Structures are given as structure tokens and as C-alpha cells.
Amino acid sequence: MEPKTTYIEQDSLLSHTVEWLRYPLMLLIVLIHADTPLLTSMPQDGLSAIFYYITRTIVRVAVPMFFIISGYFFFRKPDTFSMEAYWIKIKKRLLSILFPYIFWNYFVWAFQMLVLVVQGHSDWIAPDTFILSNIVDVVVGWGEGYQGMPKAFQLWFLRDLMIVCLLSPLLHLLLKNRLRYVLLLFVVLYLMPWPDNWNLIFMRFPSALLFFSVGAYWGIHNKNIIAIVRTIPIWLSVGLSTLLLVVHVWQCMVGGSCIIFFEKLFSIVAVIPTWQIASKIVEHQRLKSVEWISNSNFLLFVLHPTITHYLLVYPLLGKVSNTLLHFWLVYAAELIIPAFVCVILYAIMTSIFPRTTALLTGGRNAKNKNVIFAKFLER
């Protein structure tokens, strides 16, 4: 018997769905980076490899979802987009995006050097580390060693998000007139193979441009995301996503390498069933987010690679035998350990210095966000 559906007005349903989705999507981000030297030192084959590639493909929906959510709510309110509204939004994002981005990149940079000094390997720190251009590149990611990412590599998302926010007047102009071919152009830019000699910054940016613009288009035209995706039959969205998933996994298994085109195509299509399924879960009240856990999601985002490396990879690398059990235990640990540590760390930080914690997490602590933003905007 079908569970009784609790009616929730569409805008409220969208808000609750986004709130519920944030932490599961962040866990998928953590799994994206669960390709550490420790895990790759234990290659799998057969059924185990198939399951691994399935998870490696499914997690790719997380980044597009976050960009869509960001683009949607950037333009959703106020109803009219003016330059005054634009500057208010940008000032807010100086706190919610730029400040945490700069702080956590330099925190990771300093922490890694501190570890080397404590271990007696200060000579491993390159002589040109403190040249101004290299110091700046910590947050830019232009240098060859960064592969188009800042020092805390996962924060490329915040860098590119800030760029598309700065470009929002242009995006609003293009998308306001319902120039849908603009979105098609962004799809082409996202899927096309880029020249090998291009800096990887340019190769990553089309992801932000496309998915932020998709969310922006819906927000500008006051469309409810849940209502839109529910116009598509779920059997079609799930079926097409599954087909692309199978093609990508098959290519990874048989071809010996994964073709990024199919991975990207999957990430485009899979956002639809993700919205559909998540909204159904929320609507039927089958699962609810746990606030004291979900509030740690930003801290998990900025610290999970560091936690994984120093608490798991570094101590165990070369000490774990290549067995099926060990492989999946390590894979699970690369998700569970950072999540657990960040929940505990966030609870400690908010109890000792809640306002500083809110600042370091972009004002995402609900109790202090409005106070911080209000004081900043008054200047």
C-alpha cells in the first residue's frame, strides 16, 4: 500500500528538497575524491570493479546539482534583477564564498607546510614557495602543479561559482529573453574536448557556466524546479540515465579508460531523476535531514581531502593488502571518517566560537548568518 502523501505547496516542497539534498550531495562530493593513492593501490576487477565504476559515475551528479541550486536562488529573489540587487548579492557572496575560499586555501597550504616542518622535512619546501606569484597562485590555480585548481583543490567550485556570479548581469541579459540556444551553446562548451595545451582552468569553467545558467534560467523566469522536472516521465529520466550509466561503466571496463564525454552526458541527464526522486522522498516524508549533521556540510567540503590524507591514506599507504574486503573497507572509510570528524569538529567549533565558525563557513550557521550579513551590508 502506497504511503499517504503529505501535500506540500510547490515552493515549500522545493525549499525542503534543497535543504534535504545538501548533505547527501556533499557526501557524493566526498566520494568523488575517494580515488586516493591508497585506494588506487588496490585495483579491482570483475563484479567489484563494476560496482566501483557505478558509484564513480553516479557521484558526478553532485557538482551540477550544487551549481543549479546556486544559479536558481541567485536569481529567484528579488523578482526583478537590478544593478542594486546585483551589488547586494555580490557583497553577500564576499562573505559566503570569497572569504571562506581564501581562508581555507591558505589554511591547507600552511597546514601542509607545518606538517613537513614537524616531520623534519622543511627542506622539501621549494625555495620559490614564498614568491608573490606563487603565494597568489595558491588561490588561483593557474600553475601547472595545480591542474586548474587552487591549493585546496575541491574549492575550484567556489572559485568558478564566484566568477559566474560576477558575470550574472550578462547571463541575466542572455537568459531573460529566453534565448535557449545560449544554454545549448553552453552544453556544447561543456561536452566538447578542449585542446591539450589549454590551461585546465578553462576546461573546468564550462561546468559552472552550464549548470549555474540552467538554474539561473529557471530562477529568472520564476519556474519551480520540482514542477518542471515532474513534467518528464520518471521512467524516461531514470531509463536514459541508467543507459548512459551502463555505457560509461562498460567503456571503463572494456576500453580500459573512461571516456569523459559519457560521464558528462550522464551528469546532465541525471539531474532530472535526482530532483524527481529527492522531491518524492521529501514529499512522502520518508527521510528528514538531521540538522546537527547537515550543518557540518561546508566544513566537510573544505576539509575532507586533508582529513582523508592525514588520518587514513598517510598512515595506511603500503600497509593494506589488496583484497576485496580491504578495498571496500577503505572506500567506505574515505567517506565515513571525514564525515564523522567534521560533525564532531563542527559541534566543538560552534560551541566555543559560533560567530567565527559562521564566518569561516560562509555564514552558513543559521543563528549568526543574518547578523553577520547585516553588519557587513551596512558598511
Side-chain angles (χ1 to χ4, degrees):
M1 182 177 179
E2 285 289 323
K4 183 178 180 180
T5 301
T6 302
Y7 174 77
I8 304 177
E9 188 264 343
Q10 282 186 343
D11 282 348
S12 179
L13 175 59
L14 175 59
S15 177
H16 282 80
T17 301
V18 170
E19 181 183 354
W20 180 83
L21 264 173
R22 291 186 188 276
Y23 194 74
L25 288 177
M26 191 57 68
L27 293 179
L28 294 187
I29 294 292
V30 176
L31 279 179
I32 289 177
H33 303 136
D35 57 351
T36 62
L38 177 60
L39 199 68
T40 56
S41 69
M42 300 183 289
Q44 298 296 296
D45 54 19
L47 192 60
S48 178
I50 291 175
F51 284 129
Y52 176 66
Y53 283 124
I54 288 175
T55 61
R56 296 296 299 164
T57 307
I58 291 175
V59 297
R60 297 297 170 178
V61 75
V63 171
M65 288 292 294
F66 275 122
F67 275 129
I68 289 173
I69 291 170
S70 299
Y72 182 81
F73 286 103
F74 187 92
F75 288 100
R76 184 65 176 81
K77 292 181 180 181
D79 295 333
T80 57
F81 185 78
S82 62
M83 289 307 298
E84 181 182 0
Y86 168 74
W87 287 116
I88 291 175
K89 290 174 182 288
I90 293 301
K91 288 182 71 173
K92 284 184 177 181
R93 279 152 183 82
L94 291 177
L95 278 179
S96 64
I97 300 177
L98 186 60
F99 178 81
Y101 174 78
I102 293 174
F103 174 84
W104 289 109
N105 269 298
Y106 284 115
F107 173 85
V108 170
W109 181 62
F111 181 78
Q112 291 178 353
M113 287 190 291
L114 177 62
V115 170
L116 291 178
V117 172
V118 171
Q119 293 176 337
H121 301 308
S122 56
D123 56 313
W124 291 6
I125 300 174
D128 61 352
T129 297
F130 300 103
I131 294 177
L132 180 60
S133 59
N134 289 337
I135 294 175
V136 173
D137 205 29
V138 169
V139 296
V140 175
W142 181 268
E144 293 183 3
Y146 289 104
Q147 297 182 330
M149 298 175 287
K151 184 62 177 179
F153 62 87
Q154 74 281 11
L155 299 189
W156 71 268
F157 174 89
L158 295 183
R159 178 196 63 195
D160 289 11
L161 178 58
M162 192 66 191
I163 293 173
V164 288
C165 286
L166 291 172
L167 295 175
S168 58
L170 177 60
L171 293 176
H172 183 270
L173 179 64
L174 294 173
L175 299 172
K176 179 65 176 178
N177 297 321
R178 298 181 182 271
L179 300 178
R180 297 183 182 181
Y181 66 84
V182 173
L183 291 179
L184 181 60
L185 173 62
F186 293 165
V187 170
V188 172
L189 291 175
Y190 177 64
L191 294 176
M192 68 178 288
W194 288 80
D196 293 336
N197 59 340
W198 278 50
N199 190 283
L200 290 177
I201 285 180
F202 300 112
M203 297 174 67
R204 295 182 184 281
F205 184 67
S207 174
L209 186 61
L210 170 61
F211 295 110
F212 183 89
S213 297
V214 169
Y217 182 86
W218 289 333
I220 290 170
H221 297 288
N222 201 23
K223 303 292 185 180
N224 184 284
I225 297 178
I226 304 300
I228 292 174
V229 298
R230 286 187 173 183
T231 61
I232 302 172
I234 194 168
W235 64 264
L236 178 61
S237 62
V238 172
L240 185 55
S241 299
T242 302
L243 177 61
L244 290 170
L245 173 64
V246 170
V247 171
H248 184 248
V249 172
W250 176 83
Q251 215 292 319
C252 292
M253 293 291 295
V254 177
S257 62
C258 300
I259 296 180
I260 196 169
F261 174 83
F262 293 111
E263 183 181 279
K264 288 183 174 181
L265 198 57
F266 171 84
S267 67
I268 293 175
V269 175
V271 298
I272 298 174
T274 302
W275 281 112
Q276 291 173 325
I277 295 171
S279 64
K280 284 293 183 182
I281 291 174
V282 173
E283 188 174 38
H284 289 252
Q285 295 186 340
R286 289 173 178 166
L287 287 175
K288 292 184 178 180
S289 60
V290 181
E291 185 176 358
W292 61 275
I293 294 178
S294 60
N295 282 347
S296 68
N297 64 347
F298 187 82
L299 205 60
L300 179 60
F301 174 54
V302 297
L303 289 180
H304 73 267
T306 302
I307 293 171
T308 300
H309 177 77
Y310 289 104
L311 295 187
L312 191 65
V313 176
Y314 183 76
L316 296 181
L317 188 60
K319 301 176 183 178
V320 181
S321 58
N322 183 19
T323 66
L324 182 63
L325 176 61
H326 286 166
F327 178 86
W328 288 103
L329 284 176
V330 169
Y331 194 41
E334 292 192 3
L335 172 66
I336 295 172
I337 290 178
F340 177 77
V341 170
C342 286
V343 167
I344 301 302
L345 184 59
Y346 184 81
I348 295 173
M349 290 173 62
T350 51
S351 64
I352 299 175
F353 38 86
R355 293 198 175 188
T356 302
T357 302
L359 187 63
L360 297 181
T361 57
R364 289 166 178 84
N365 183 334
K367 294 180 180 179
N368 302 288
K369 176 174 63 175
N370 293 334
V371 174
I372 292 175
F373 281 163
K375 289 183 177 179
F376 182 73
L377 293 175
E378 286 173 359
R379 298 179 182 179

